[in-house]
Amino acid sequence: MRYKTYLLQLLSCLLPLMTQAKDKTLDSLLQLIDRGIDRSEQYVAVRERRIDQLRKQLDASTNDAMRYDASFKLYEEYKPFINDSAIYYISRCIALATRMNHMAEVAQCRSLLALRCSNTGMYDEAIMMLDKINVNELTTPSEGVYYLARAHVYGELAYYTRIDQMRKYYGDETKKFRHLAYQALPQYDDNRFQMMETELMDDGRYDASMSLNDKWLQRTQKGSHPYALVTMFRYLEYKLRNDTTQMMRWLAESVLADVRNGVMDQGSMWEMANQLLEMGEVDRAYKYICFTSDAAGRYGSRLRYAQISPLMADIAEQYKAARDRSARRLMAALAVISVMALLFLATLVYVNRQRRRLAEARDNLSKTNHKLSVLNTELSCLNNQLQSSNRQLSEANRVKEEYVGRFMRLCSDYVDQLDSFRRKLGRLLKARKMEEMNELVNSEGFKDKQLDELFANFDSAFLHLFPRFVERFNTLLKPEERVLLTDSRRLNTTVRIFALIRLGIEDSGKIAEFLHYSVNTIYNYRARVKNAALCDRDEFEERVKQIEG
C-alpha cells in the first residue's frame, strides 16, 4: 500500500505542472499583447494627435455645418476613448443640428447619445433621451440608429434585471426593435452584423452564426477598431464550440486590435483576464485586469468597473491562496534546510580533513605534471625535428632517384654520341679528308650543341621535380625584378643558378663549372638577385632552399 501512496503524492505534484502547460501559439500571442501593453502610450498618442487635428479643424470652422462635421468626427474619435468627451461632442452636434433646423440629424445624434448612455450603464438616461425623439422626423439611416439604440438598452436591461416578468418584457422589446433595426440599417453595417450574429447564437443556430461572422470578417480591415469587434464575436463562436485553441487565438486578435488602436473601452482585455485566471495564469491575469482598470478609469465607464471589481476580488483571493501555499512550503523547506545544515556541518569537518590530504596529493601531482610537461615539450621538439629530417630525406631521395636515372640516360646518350663521333672521324681519316676532320675537331658548334642539350635535360628534370619553382621563386622577389621565361619548359641562367642552390649545390665554383661561366659571373648573378629580394638578402637563399614542389 505504501508504494500507492507515493504514486499519488507524485501525481499530485505533477498535476499543477501539467495544468500550466499551454499552447505555443497562445504563448506567442500573449507575448504580443504584453508588448502592446508596454507600448500602449504610443498608440494612445497617435489617437490624441488625430484628436488635436480635429480640434484645430473645429476652431477654424466658419459656419455651423463645418462645426457639426468636425464635432461629429471628434465624437467618433472619443467614442472608444473617453466617454464623457464623446457625450460632450455628440451633445454639441445635437445643439448645432437644432440650430440649423436639421431635425433628422438631431434625432440621429440623440440616438447615438442614448447608445453612449446604455453602453456605460446609464439606462434611465438612455430611455429618457430616446423618448424625446420624434420618430416621424427620422430618415432611413437615422431610423436604423434609433431602433439600434432601443434594442441595445432593452437588451442590457433584460440581461441585468433579476425580475423574471421584467426580463420577459425587456426581451420582447429587444426582439421588436432588433427586427425594425434590421430593416432600416444598411446591409453591411457593423451594428446589423452584430445584432444578427447575437440573435443567431442566442437561438443556438451556430452554423448560421459562424457563416455570418465569416462574411463580416471578410468585409472588415484587419487591425482596425471594427476588427476588434468582429474577432470578439468570433471568440464567442468558438467558445460555444469549446474550441479552446481557436477561441483564445481570436480573443487575442481582438485584444491586440483594441490596444493598438488606443481604445480605452477594453471589453476584450477584461475577457482575456477572465480566461487566463481560469487557466491559472494569475500574474498575467492581474497585469491585464490592471491595464483594463486603468483604461476604464480614463474611459469613464461605471459598467466596466462593475465588471472588473469581481475579477479583481477573484485575483486577490487567488493571490492570498498562493501566498498561504508558499508559506506552508516555506516552513517545510526551513525544516528540511535545518536538517541539511546539521548534515552539512558534519560533512564540512570531514571534508576539511580530506582537503588537506588532497592538497598534499595535488602538490605532488603538480610537480609530476610539470616534469611530464617539460618532457612532452622536448619530445615534441624532437618529433618536429625528426619530421623535418624525414621530409628533407624524402625530398633528397626523390631528387637523387630522378637525377640518377637522368644521369644514366645522359651517360648512355654521350657514349652513343662519342661512338658516332669516333666512327665519323674514322671514316674521314680512312678517306684522308684532313680538312673536314680538322673542321669537325675544332668546331665550337659541337660544344654549344652539347651544352644546350645538357641544360635542356637539366631544365626538364628540375621542372619535373619542382613544377612550381619559378612561381614561388618570383614571390620572393620584388614585382619589378621577377623573372619572365620565354619558354615555360626552359630555365634562364638566373633561375638555373638558384635551381642548383635548391638542389644543394651552393659553391659558386661548382655552379660556374656546371654552367660553364666564370666564378665572378656566378657571384654577380647571385648578388643581383639577392638585392632584389623582398626579405632580408642574407635569408634569401635559405628561403629558396625551402621551396617545395
Side-chain angles (χ1 to χ4, degrees):
M1 294 295 293
R2 185 174 296 175
Y3 77 92
K4 292 183 178 179
T5 303
Y6 291 153
L7 183 59
L8 288 172
Q9 290 176 347
L10 179 62
L11 287 173
S12 67
C13 292
L14 291 175
L15 187 59
L17 297 175
M18 295 168 64
T19 305
Q20 291 174 3
K22 57 184 179 293
D23 184 65
K24 289 183 179 178
T25 304
L26 175 60
D27 189 59
S28 64
L29 286 170
L30 293 176
Q31 289 178 17
L32 285 175
I33 294 173
D34 291 341
R35 288 198 289 272
I37 290 174
D38 293 338
R39 300 172 185 170
S40 61
E41 288 305 318
Q42 298 175 20
Y43 302 131
V44 169
V46 172
R47 182 176 288 274
E48 288 176 339
R49 283 196 294 271
R50 290 201 302 267
I51 289 172
D52 287 341
Q53 290 296 324
L54 289 171
R55 282 176 177 166
K56 291 176 183 176
Q57 182 180 332
L58 177 61
D59 293 341
S61 299
T62 56
N63 55 56
D64 285 344
M66 293 174 67
R67 293 186 191 97
Y68 178 87
D69 290 338
S71 296
F72 194 83
K73 288 176 183 177
L74 280 165
Y75 156 75
E76 291 286 346
E77 282 292 339
Y78 275 118
K79 184 169 63 174
F81 188 49
I82 299 176
N83 189 56
D84 289 344
S85 297
I87 290 174
Y88 169 79
Y89 282 106
I90 199 65
S91 299
R92 188 167 182 178
C93 287
I94 293 172
L96 289 167
T98 302
R99 195 157 65 194
M100 292 186 295
N101 200 29
H102 294 173
M103 303 315 295
E105 282 82 355
V106 171
Q108 181 175 353
C109 291
R110 282 177 175 167
S111 300
L112 292 172
L113 179 56
L115 270 174
R116 288 295 89 226
C117 292
S118 61
N119 268 323
T120 53
M122 296 184 290
Y123 305 123
D124 291 339
E125 293 86 339
I127 291 175
M128 288 174 61
M129 185 61 60
L130 290 169
D131 287 343
K132 290 181 180 180
I133 297 173
N134 183 357
V135 180
N136 296 324
E137 294 175 348
L138 296 172
T139 59
T140 300
S142 59
E143 190 179 15
V145 178
Y146 169 76
Y147 292 134
L148 172 67
R150 284 281 187 187
H152 186 270
V153 69
Y154 286 125
E156 290 289 296
L157 289 169
Y159 181 81
Y160 286 107
T161 187
R162 297 185 179 181
I163 303 173
D164 293 338
Q165 184 178 358
M166 295 304 297
R167 182 179 296 111
K168 183 178 184 308
Y169 168 74
Y170 290 143
D172 291 341
E173 289 295 295
T174 302
K175 289 180 181 178
K176 179 181 76 174
F177 285 110
R178 274 182 183 171
H179 180 71
L180 292 170
Y182 292 153
Q183 297 175 345
L185 287 171
Q187 182 181 359
Y188 299 115
D189 185 81
D190 287 334
N191 293 309
R192 189 172 188 274
F193 275 118
Q194 181 179 346
M195 286 191 301
M196 290 179 67
E197 188 169 354
T198 302
E199 188 169 356
L200 289 170
M201 286 192 291
D202 290 344
D203 293 343
R205 298 164 62 189
Y206 301 140
D207 290 339
S209 63
M210 179 61 87
S211 177
L212 181 66
N213 187 271
D214 290 338
K215 293 177 182 177
W216 189 9
L217 185 65
Q218 288 174 1
R219 300 188 65 84
T220 307
Q221 181 182 357
K222 184 173 182 178
S224 63
H225 181 47
Y227 182 77
L229 182 63
V230 66
T231 49
M232 181 65 179
F233 271 82
R234 201 165 185 83
Y235 151 76
L236 295 173
E237 293 281 357
Y238 283 110
K239 187 177 181 180
L240 290 170
R241 291 164 174 75
N242 295 317
D243 189 339
T244 307
T245 302
Q246 287 296 326
M247 82 178 199
M248 293 304 291
R249 174 203 165 188
W250 289 106
L251 180 58
E253 290 280 354
S254 180
V255 171
L256 281 170
D258 273 344
V259 172
R260 289 171 177 173
N261 282 288
V263 172
M264 293 293 104
D265 188 16
Q266 288 282 343
S268 301
M269 184 74 81
W270 173 81
E271 184 64 26
M272 178 64 80
N274 253 323
Q275 292 297 328
L276 291 175
L277 190 61
E278 291 180 9
M279 295 165 60
E281 289 270 4
V282 180
D283 291 336
R284 197 168 241 150
Y286 179 73
K287 178 181 179 180
Y288 289 1
I289 203 65
C290 285
F291 178 79
T292 307
S293 179
D294 292 341
R298 182 179 287 190
Y299 181 67
S301 170
R302 68 187 184 187
L303 181 61
R304 285 282 176 244
Y305 275 123
Q307 292 174 330
I308 291 167
S309 297
L311 186 57
M312 294 283 279
D314 288 343
I315 292 173
E317 186 177 342
Q318 291 208 23
Y319 264 118
K320 182 178 180 300
R323 187 174 63 249
D324 293 341
R325 288 195 298 271
S326 297
R328 289 194 295 271
R329 290 172 186 165
L330 181 60
M331 293 300 295
L334 285 173
V336 172
I337 289 170
S338 299
V339 174
M340 292 179 65
L342 292 173
L343 292 173
F344 176 74
L345 288 173
T347 305
L348 188 62
V349 175
Y350 174 76
V351 168
N352 280 333
R353 291 177 182 174
Q354 295 298 321
R355 186 182 297 162
R356 286 195 294 271
R357 295 176 184 174
L358 182 62
E360 294 174 0
R362 190 181 291 114
D363 288 339
N364 294 331
L365 181 61
S366 177
K367 292 175 183 177
T368 304
N369 284 339
H370 178 69
K371 292 178 182 178
L372 184 60
S373 177
V374 172
L375 290 173
N376 282 336
T377 302
E378 293 176 356
L379 181 60
S380 177
C381 291
L382 290 172
N383 281 335
N384 290 336
Q385 293 174 5
L386 182 60
Q387 289 176 4
S388 178
S389 299
N390 284 337
R391 283 196 300 271
Q392 292 174 4
L393 184 60
S394 175
E395 182 71 17
N397 285 336
R398 186 169 69 92
V399 172
K400 182 182 70 175
E401 290 172 3
E402 178 71 21
Y403 271 93
V404 165
R406 293 266 180 171
F407 176 74
M408 294 301 293
R409 287 195 300 274
L410 193 58
C411 287
S412 175
D413 290 342
Y414 281 148
V415 169
D416 291 341
Q417 289 178 20
L418 286 172
D419 185 59
S420 175
F421 185 72
R422 181 188 59 78
R423 287 196 302 272
K424 188 172 183 179
L425 283 177
R427 286 196 300 274
L428 291 173
L429 185 61
K430 187 174 181 179
R432 298 184 182 277
K433 295 180 178 180
M434 295 300 179
E435 290 183 7
E436 292 182 19
M437 188 167 62
N438 185 51
E439 272 183 30
L440 183 62
V441 171
N442 294 320
S443 173
E444 289 292 333
F446 180 77
K447 177 184 176 182
D448 293 340
K449 180 182 178 183
Q450 297 304 314
L451 280 174
D452 187 63
E453 188 175 342
L454 172 65
F455 292 155
N457 274 286
F458 173 78
D459 295 348
S460 175
F462 184 81
L463 290 174
H464 177 70
L465 290 168
F466 302 96
R468 300 185 65 186
F469 179 81
V470 177
E471 176 187 342
R472 294 179 179 176
F473 176 73
N474 275 329
T475 61
L476 301 175
L477 300 174
K478 297 175 182 176
E480 66 272 12
E481 298 293 339
R482 289 174 182 172
V483 177
L484 295 176
L485 300 178
T486 55
D487 186 347
S488 61
R489 295 171 297 177
R490 295 296 300 271
L491 306 178
N492 61 19
T493 303
T494 301
V495 180
R496 207 171 282 139
I497 290 169
F498 285 93
L500 290 169
I501 291 172
R502 174 63 186 87
L503 294 174
I505 303 172
E506 300 180 55
D507 184 65
S508 294
K510 292 181 179 179
I511 295 172
E513 185 179 345
F514 178 77
L515 296 178
H516 290 264
Y517 286 107
S518 68
V519 174
N520 192 47
T521 300
I522 299 301
Y523 175 79
N524 289 336
Y525 268 107
R526 292 172 75 169
R528 180 172 57 80
V529 173
K530 285 195 285 186
N531 288 333
L534 290 172
C535 61
D536 188 88
R537 69 188 311 278
D538 295 331
E539 298 177 4
F540 180 74
E541 292 189 356
E542 286 301 320
R543 295 277 189 93
V544 171
K545 284 191 267 185
Q546 293 171 7
I547 293 175
E548 297 182 357

